[in-house]
Amino acid sequence: MKSEMAAAALVPLAVAFLFSLSSAASPVQWGKLDQHFYDHSCPQAQQIVASIVGKAHYQDPRMAASLLRLHFHDCFVKGCDASLLLDSSGSIVSEKRSNPNRDSARGFEVIDEIKAALEAACPGTVSCADILALAARDSTVMTGGPGWMVPLGRRDARGASVQGSNNDIPAPNNTLPTIITKFKLQGLDIVDLVALLGSHTIGDSRCTSFRQRLYNQTGNGLPDLTLDVSYAAALRPRCPRSGGDQNLFFLDPVTPFEFDNQYYKNILAYRGLLASDEVLLTGSPATGDLVKLYAANQDIFFQHFAQSMVKMGNISPLTGADGEIRKHCRRVNHN
């Protein structure tokens, strides 16, 4: 009871901060999306989302990173259309079964709770895709990161693409050129790439996602030479050569629950956990310069991150008469 009361006390502060954001932080309109989309149809929408995200974050400090990741993994597959949230049924094979999401994507119950509250307040009005975009922003703010106005008006897909999820989401062992290409296909450039990967300042990764760096990075039986030796030694006990696949490790062990620029400082010290983190420094001068910039200047990182999140949130949204407003985020409507 006490913890619920404490969470309830914290939430209005976060909500108040979100609503104090200057509209100058990002464009009022972005393509067909508009930050004022629900001002008349569901004026309390953003407050409802923020309060439930705040409660979830208080109860589980990992949840902020999980909700942020859901938006990212949704937008990179067929656009920001909540296709990721659909369970398998009939002809739909859920994206939750894909390699990037299986055993790691989480937070779906929080999205369900937000949707139920929004349906009670404003039936058939707020899309699941917009819930993901708002929850990602709120999660960033509640962990100390930047805020931004979220352009709204996305509608929900009536299908999913497990193949797209497997192919289009950057993987921890992808080369830098492959990661750059996957971002470019979404209309995102190198600044977006380096800034958005800064979301790894919070959250966890599984042993299976970086094991090769500890033992056999290039097939010659040697660990990754771009991984700090003492850091690698500290990781091996809980990430053995076999077994422990699902063991969790902080992506940023210095400030694991704070959204800050420590992620980039870790990379400069060769303490990026994933190969895809460290390669930002070692893979190209252009990305390396951005790592150095963000490590030295948190304000610029925050500014670029907010701008890139708005840009990512505008990947191929369904608007107008396309798609639907799902009543339940896990399944399409049956009219």
Side-chain angles (χ1 to χ4, degrees), residues 124-288:
T125 303
V126 182
S127 67
C128 301
D130 278 346
I131 291 172
L132 286 174
L134 289 167
R137 187 271 311 274
D138 296 351
S139 294
T140 304
V141 171
M142 288 172 188
T143 46
W148 60 92
M149 290 294 186
V150 179
L152 299 163
R154 301 167 189 80
R155 289 167 65 85
D156 299 324
R158 294 192 179 99
S161 176
V162 70
Q163 182 180 4
S165 187
N166 277 322
N167 295 335
D168 298 342
I169 296 171
N173 58 349
N174 280 160
T175 64
L176 183 59
T178 297
I179 297 169
I180 289 172
T181 297
K182 287 183 177 182
F183 272 76
K184 193 173 181 180
L185 288 171
Q186 307 295 347
L188 301 173
D189 59 28
I190 283 179
V191 174
D192 301 315
L193 188 166
V194 180
L196 290 171
L197 280 182
S199 59
H200 287 179
T201 178
I202 55 174
D204 304 272
S205 181
R206 296 173 298 154
C207 162
T208 185
S209 296
F210 61 87
R211 172 185 281 120
Q212 82 285 352
R213 300 192 72 204
L214 301 178
Y215 303 103
N216 191 19
Q217 176 65 7
T218 58
N220 60 1
L222 295 174
D224 189 337
L225 298 176
T226 67
L227 180 63
D228 177 79
V229 174
S230 61
Y231 186 37
L235 295 169
R236 286 190 186 98
R238 290 185 53 245
C239 190
R241 288 178 181 273
S242 61
D245 284 10
Q246 306 303 319
N247 288 349
L248 292 174
F249 294 77
F250 293 133
L251 285 159
D252 168 17
V254 182
T255 54
F257 300 110
E258 290 179 36
F259 198 103
D260 55 21
N261 66 337
Q262 184 63 47
Y263 166 78
Y264 301 103
K265 297 176 182 178
N266 296 342
I267 290 174
L268 290 181
Y270 297 98
R271 287 173 170 253
L273 182 61
L274 305 178
S276 54
D277 296 325
E278 197 59 50
V279 77
L280 296 179
L281 177 65
T282 62
S284 92
T287 56

Side-chain angles (χ1 to χ4, degrees), residues 93-107:
V93 179
S94 178
E95 292 171 21
K96 298 174 186 179
R97 294 184 177 183
S98 72
N99 291 327
N101 295 324
R102 193 175 58 242
D103 299 326
S104 64
R106 60 194 292 274

Side-chain angles (χ1 to χ4, degrees), residues 86 111-112 114-120 122-128 131 156 324-335:
L86 291 170
I111 302 300
D112 291 340
I114 294 169
K115 182 60 174 171
L118 286 168
E119 285 300 304
C122 319
T125 303
V126 182
S127 67
C128 301
I131 291 172
D156 299 324
E324 63 182 14
I325 306 296
R326 280 183 222 143
K327 295 181 178 70
H328 301 277
C329 291
R330 293 174 182 265
R331 57 183 184 270
V332 298
N333 297 337
H334 295 288
N335 299 326

